[in-house]
Amino acid sequence: MYNEIDLDKIDVSHEPPTQEPARQYYFMAKCREWVREFEQKNGRRPCFFVQTFGCQMNARDSEKLVGILETVGYCQAEKEEADFVIYNTCTVRENANNKVWGRLGYLNAYKKHHPHMKIALCGCMMQEAEVVEKIKKSYPFVDLVFGTHNIYKFAELLETSFVQEGRVIDIWKDTDKIVEELPIERKYSFKSGVNIMFGCNNFCSYCIVPYVRGRERSRKPEDILAEIERLAADGVVEIMLLGQNVNSYGKNLKEPITFAELLKQIEDIEGIERIRFMTSHPKDLSDELIEVMGKSKKICRHLHLPLQSGSSRILKAMNRHYDKEQYLSLVEKIRRAVPDIALTTDIIVGFPGETEEDFLETMDVVEQVGYESAFTFIYSKRTGTPAAFMEEQISEDVVKDRFDRLLKSVQSIAAKKAELYTGKTEPVLVEEVNEQDQMLVSGRLSSNFMVHFPGTEEMIGKIVNVTLKECKGFYFYGELVE
Ligand code: 5AD
Ligand code: SF4
């Protein structure tokens, strides 16, 4: 098990092992030698800065990067002015890419005065051939580039970048490999993401994820359960099961198992108090899962169920495999089985060919469902996806107008939904001392709403009862119930 491996006992005078993860521990031991040399020369340890863009999957991947960097002896810097900076990138929408290009400009200027600094890029954006070409051509100051499929090789790539002249670029097109048991440094001591599957097979026509994250691969249930047991023993009370489409978990395993079955087994793990998961595709949400959610004491009363569009015509063009009526009846079924469930969603505005009528269908679903919260996105053309070739891309001003109307509706409905919680006393997992007001702590309800209330640092990681006194739209002020 990784936390039992002593890097100093690894003999690095021999060739590296071919088996994983042993190979990566060998390279960690090598990196540690390099870090020690740096320390002797400079009188301090080298420091790193990891910047994460995008979703919770990337956040979890970054914890793996941090785990390795800390294991080899780096210390964490507060700012980008560090010896090693790595951006874990996202490419789901164009503006995610633009943020990275913008930050790189700044890093280049900093590196000019600190030439020993190393800059690395990884994550989804690196899986795009044009991006890598652009880096090769116009960003010579980037030292290390790798993708989503070989992130487990980070230690090896880091070591290569220490010993090799010039930059290191290693991108894989796809993989069927899942390498377990590498160091992970959790951001929070009391909650953790847990990957249950990687990749996506759905090919929604607007989405680049299947191209950059590859085909669906589920982790074995015994590996997932063992990881969660370890986390529970280490003080974790809340887990978030992560996958692009958790509802199709286990279908392609040698011994298939359903997501609902996996949840039942996780529920039995002592010490875990709350279970969340993300993301659920409506087309794969089974009756079995609804039943398990209804009976569960630990699965949070929150379901993120991306709608994307309320128009059956657009949903078809999006390749979503459900229509407006099917989505609405699914919501009804869930609400019947789990009446106190909070529903949240993702919506795209301005998909190619979207008419005013299509948009009004989306507005109608938003009103009928009454989401507790919704992420609204302007459609972003992603090169290589089928939607990018569709005619009738919608003009910017029409999209902007629809987006504003949708946002207004979503916000006013969400505020009304939140208001219904006012006066209730709810269990809250305390997450942190409030940044603005040190007298307050902030935590989350099972429904995922945030509440701030008077409290102290010692409460962090504990589940306490809080009366929701005042609703502020999408968060609350509360009071601890002793
Ligand atoms: N344009 C806009 N939004 C997108 N999403 C995915 N691809 C695109 C795109 N090309 C949104 C979807 C998805 C969320 C994670 O990002 O709503 O659910
Ligand atoms: Fe993208 Fe659709 Fe897969 Fe979600 S389900 S990651 S939107 S292709």
Side-chain angles (χ1 to χ4, degrees):
M1 214 172 295
Y2 66 79
N3 44 11
E4 286 160 18
I5 291 175
D6 182 353
L7 290 189
D8 288 334
K9 294 217 171 93
I10 297 175
D11 180 359
V12 290
S13 61
H14 291 101
E15 286 294 295
T18 48
Q19 289 289 92
E20 295 293 1
R23 186 177 172 87
Q24 295 314 311
Y25 283 95
Y26 170 94
F27 284 108
M28 279 180 237
K30 286 215 126 188
C31 288
R32 183 178 279 184
E33 284 187 343
W34 184 91
V35 165
R36 283 188 180 143
E37 271 172 37
F38 179 101
E39 203 174 346
Q40 270 175 2
K41 215 159 84 192
N42 299 285
R44 64 172 181 90
R45 281 159 63 195
C47 59
F48 71 89
F49 184 81
V50 176
Q51 175 77 55
T52 312
F53 299 87
C55 67
Q56 314 240 12
M57 294 280 232
N58 265 17
R60 185 66 176 155
D61 280 349
S62 288
E63 292 184 345
K64 295 174 189 173
L65 301 172
V66 173
I68 288 170
L69 287 163
E70 291 196 340
T71 301
V72 305
Y74 273 81
C75 55
Q76 195 151 354
E78 296 288 314
K79 297 186 292 188
E80 263 155 317
E81 288 79 17
D83 303 297
F84 181 82
V85 173
I86 181 162
Y87 288 166
N88 188 4
T89 63
C90 167
T91 186
V92 77
R93 284 170 292 277
E94 186 65 33
N95 55 5
N97 294 40
N98 291 340
K99 274 188 214 153
V100 172
W101 298 127
R103 299 297 311 160
L104 277 177
Y106 168 76
L107 277 192
N108 185 21
Y110 182 75
K111 190 174 176 174
K112 283 201 176 119
H113 303 285
H114 304 83
H116 79 284
M117 173 193 201
K118 273 194 185 302
I119 299 173
L121 298 172
C122 68
C124 294
M125 205 174 143
M126 301 305 124
Q127 291 296 137
E128 289 186 276
E130 316 84 78
V131 167
V132 177
E133 276 314 303
K134 186 165 164 180
I135 293 166
K136 278 185 188 161
K137 229 169 97 197
S138 316
Y139 294 78
F141 55 91
V142 174
D143 303 283
L144 170 61
V145 179
F146 56 99
T148 54
H149 302 306
N150 54 349
I151 187 168
Y152 76 85
K153 269 184 69 183
F154 175 50
E156 185 170 349
L157 293 165
L158 186 65
E159 200 268 346
T160 313
S161 83
F162 290 147
V163 296
Q164 185 180 301
E165 278 289 314
R167 63 166 92 196
V168 178
I169 299 183
D170 189 14
I171 310 286
W172 299 0
K173 275 206 151 51
D174 207 345
T175 186
D176 51 9
K177 251 188 171 167
I178 297 178
V179 178
E180 308 267 350
E181 308 289 340
L182 287 165
I184 300 187
E185 185 61 36
R186 291 197 311 275
K187 190 167 171 202
Y188 298 95
S189 59
F190 53 89
K191 71 171 183 176
S192 178
V194 175
N195 296 111
I196 63 165
M197 61 197 303
F198 303 91
C200 179
N201 285 353
N202 288 315
F203 291 95
C204 301
S205 62
Y206 50 82
C207 185
I208 202 162
V209 169
Y211 306 90
V212 295
R213 285 267 175 189
R215 294 296 67 70
E216 231 168 73
R217 284 150 284 142
S218 294
R219 279 177 78 194
K220 288 195 222 116
E222 56 271 29
D223 291 341
I224 297 169
L225 293 166
E227 180 178 345
I228 298 173
E229 271 162 18
R230 267 202 310 268
L231 289 169
D234 199 28
V236 166
V237 293
E238 179 178 296
I239 50 158
M240 165 80 94
L241 306 174
L242 299 170
Q244 243 77 42
N245 179 13
V246 291
N247 295 339
S248 72
Y249 169 78
K251 282 185 185 157
N252 48 14
L253 282 171
K254 259 196 206 122
E255 289 170 44
I257 162 174
T258 61
F259 179 52
E261 190 54 50
L262 178 73
L263 279 173
K264 276 201 269 187
Q265 294 184 24
I266 294 172
E267 177 112 16
D268 291 338
I269 297 176
E270 220 175 291
I272 296 297
E273 311 267 355
R274 283 180 164 188
I275 305 168
R276 299 185 187 275
F277 52 84
M278 189 162 255
T279 289
S280 275
H281 195 305
K283 82 174 163 65
D284 295 314
L285 200 143
S286 66
D287 290 348
E288 187 197 10
L289 175 60
I290 296 176
E291 194 191 322
V292 168
M293 287 182 78
K295 287 191 183 141
S296 172
K297 299 250 176 325
K298 294 186 180 176
I299 300 174
C300 287
R301 285 352 208 181
H302 171 215
L303 180 66
H304 186 68
L305 195 63
L307 167 69
Q308 312 299 5
S309 169
S311 152
S312 297
R313 200 179 67 84
I314 295 293
L315 285 167
K316 196 157 194 300
M318 286 178 160
N319 196 29
R320 291 290 289 175
H321 297 279
Y322 55 84
D323 60 21
K324 181 184 180 187
E325 284 66 39
Q326 282 164 332
Y327 185 94
L328 286 172
S329 52
L330 183 61
V331 165
E332 207 181 292
K333 206 166 9 167
I334 295 162
R335 285 241 167 90
R336 223 179 300 131
V338 197
D340 54 347
I341 195 121
L343 291 173
T344 59
T345 200
D346 292 342
I347 299 169
I348 298 175
V349 178
F351 183 82
E354 183 190 73
T355 61
E356 177 64 18
E357 288 69 44
D358 293 320
F359 173 69
L360 291 176
E361 299 277 12
T362 300
M363 294 284 270
D364 183 44
V365 177
V366 166
E367 273 158 36
Q368 286 199 50
V369 175
Y371 296 105
E372 266 73 4
S373 156
F375 296 102
T376 49
F377 305 108
I378 287 180
Y379 166 74
S380 169
K381 191 170 168 176
R382 308 313 288 131
T383 313
T385 61
F389 299 104
M390 290 179 188
E391 286 164 16
E392 284 191 79
Q393 303 278 333
I394 311 297
S395 74
E396 230 173 84
D397 46 340
V398 171
V399 177
K400 182 79 182 54
D401 171 65
R402 287 181 193 159
F403 182 81
D404 291 345
R405 280 148 70 201
L406 177 65
L407 193 63
K408 225 167 153 188
S409 166
V410 157
Q411 286 177 343
S412 89
I413 292 169
K416 278 186 209 134
K417 297 292 285 197
E419 192 58 61
L420 300 176
Y421 287 76
T422 314
K424 286 188 180 172
T425 299
E426 293 269 328
V428 168
L429 172 59
V430 183
E431 297 200 338
E432 58 204 0
V433 172
N434 190 295
E435 269 179 28
Q436 269 98 49
D437 182 346
Q438 303 283 304
M439 301 303 284
L440 300 179
V441 289
S442 306
R444 277 181 199 278
L445 314 187
S446 174
S447 60
N448 214 34
F449 275 116
M450 196 92 196
V451 54
H452 310 290
F453 59 98
T456 56
E457 203 175 346
E458 294 75 59
M459 291 159 91
I460 293 174
K462 300 207 167 73
I463 296 179
V464 295
N465 286 322
V466 175
T467 304
L468 307 172
K469 290 280 183 190
E470 191 185 349
C471 176
K472 287 285 185 185
F474 57 95
Y475 64 93
F476 295 90
Y477 283 116
E479 211 172 84
L480 183 72
V481 179
E482 301 287 350

